[in-house]
Amino acid sequence: MSLVGKKFPNVTVDAMSDMGDDLRINVFEEATSKQQKVLLFWYPKDFTFVCPTELHAFQEALPEFEKRNTKVIGASCDTNEVHFAWLNVAKDNGGIEGVTYPLLADTHRQLANILGIVDQDFEYNEEGEEVFTGSNVTYRATYLIDETGKIFHESVNDMPLGRNVKEYLRLIDAYTHVQKFGEVCPANWEEGKDAMKADRTSTAEYLAKN
């Protein structure tokens, strides 16, 4: 079930800073109390393969997110201790040393289960007993949350598929344009391109030009 258009869950979760500080972060409050957008991205596990490429990609783009008043937060179901261990492994050895944004440690899967992004299922054996199946880690889910705590974008990738970080910058630009000008953004819209009014005349004029 999609959560777009709904408020992000008001849940506080353990987190780890790049300096090794144990934190408690509420994503909804990060957006609403600080009047900023939040990009929250989930990845399956620390010390894996695609995951460090994504964490470094978000780190490299961090100045661009900051220009857009957007806080980046990573998340998995690993513990704070495992996060900190991975933060102390060099990039050229598969680690995430140099990542400076916080990492949620949703070890009880409270928030991940509310969002419905955990790879888990249950079957019944011949004795009628419930048997757990699945990896019990999260898919590559991404949420963009606005200053009111509303989710304006969500996406979920299967585990082998890494994200395109530039697309989230484009989406933030588009949503900010909508907030500022009250226009709507057509397919492949980028900052500086024409947007449209939400009526048939504007759509027809846009299509005639493009």
Side-chain angles (χ1 to χ4, degrees):
M1 181 184 298
S2 174
L3 297 177
V4 170
K6 299 180 175 64
K7 298 291 186 181
F8 193 84
N10 191 350
V11 175
T12 302
V13 181
D14 288 336
M16 172 59 59
S17 78
D18 62 310
M19 301 302 293
D21 298 317
D22 291 322
L23 307 173
R24 296 277 289 166
I25 292 179
N26 183 311
V27 174
F28 177 82
E29 291 180 356
E30 286 290 321
T32 57
S33 66
K34 298 180 181 177
Q35 284 298 286
Q36 62 185 349
K37 293 180 176 67
V38 175
L39 182 148
L40 172 67
F41 74 97
W42 294 80
Y43 61 92
K45 292 173 70 176
D46 293 353
F47 293 97
T48 50
F49 318 111
V50 176
C51 298
T53 69
E54 292 192 310
L55 271 75
H56 285 296
F58 279 109
Q59 179 64 36
E60 290 169 8
L62 199 58
E64 292 299 319
F65 286 107
E66 290 172 347
K67 285 181 191 176
R68 293 161 172 80
N69 191 34
T70 300
K71 183 178 183 68
V72 173
I73 301 174
S76 78
C77 297
D78 294 283
T79 65
N80 272 355
E81 292 77 12
V82 176
H83 282 338
F84 191 56
W86 203 24
L87 282 162
N88 281 281
V89 176
K91 179 180 179 181
D92 61 8
N93 197 28
I96 58 168
E97 185 178 35
V99 167
T100 59
Y101 49 82
L103 302 176
L104 297 188
D106 189 23
T107 54
H108 297 294
R109 292 158 176 76
Q110 180 186 10
L111 180 55
N113 276 318
I114 292 172
L115 296 171
I117 57 172
V118 182
D119 174 30
Q120 57 182 209
D121 204 354
F122 296 91
E123 299 175 352
Y124 291 91
N125 60 22
E126 294 179 356
E127 289 74 35
E129 299 169 328
E130 196 172 57
V131 178
F132 173 82
T133 61
S135 66
N136 206 31
V137 299
T138 65
Y139 295 104
R140 298 187 192 281
T142 313
Y143 297 88
L144 293 174
I145 301 122
D146 73 11
E147 297 86 349
T148 71
K150 185 182 81 172
I151 299 169
F152 65 91
H153 168 83
E154 67 175 336
S155 59
V156 183
N157 290 6
D158 201 356
M159 294 171 194
L161 305 176
R163 281 162 278 219
N164 184 338
V165 173
K166 291 180 181 179
E167 172 63 4
Y168 302 111
L169 292 169
R170 188 193 73 84
L171 288 167
I172 292 167
D173 286 342
Y175 190 76
T176 301
H177 185 93
V178 171
Q179 288 176 308
K180 186 175 182 180
F181 297 104
E183 296 180 317
V184 294
C185 296
N188 299 322
W189 183 91
E190 294 176 341
E191 186 68 46
K193 292 187 175 180
D194 290 338
M196 308 183 301
K197 295 179 181 178
D199 59 51
R200 292 186 180 182
T201 301
S202 183
T203 300
E205 290 174 350
Y206 177 87
L207 291 173
K209 290 167 57 179
N210 295 277

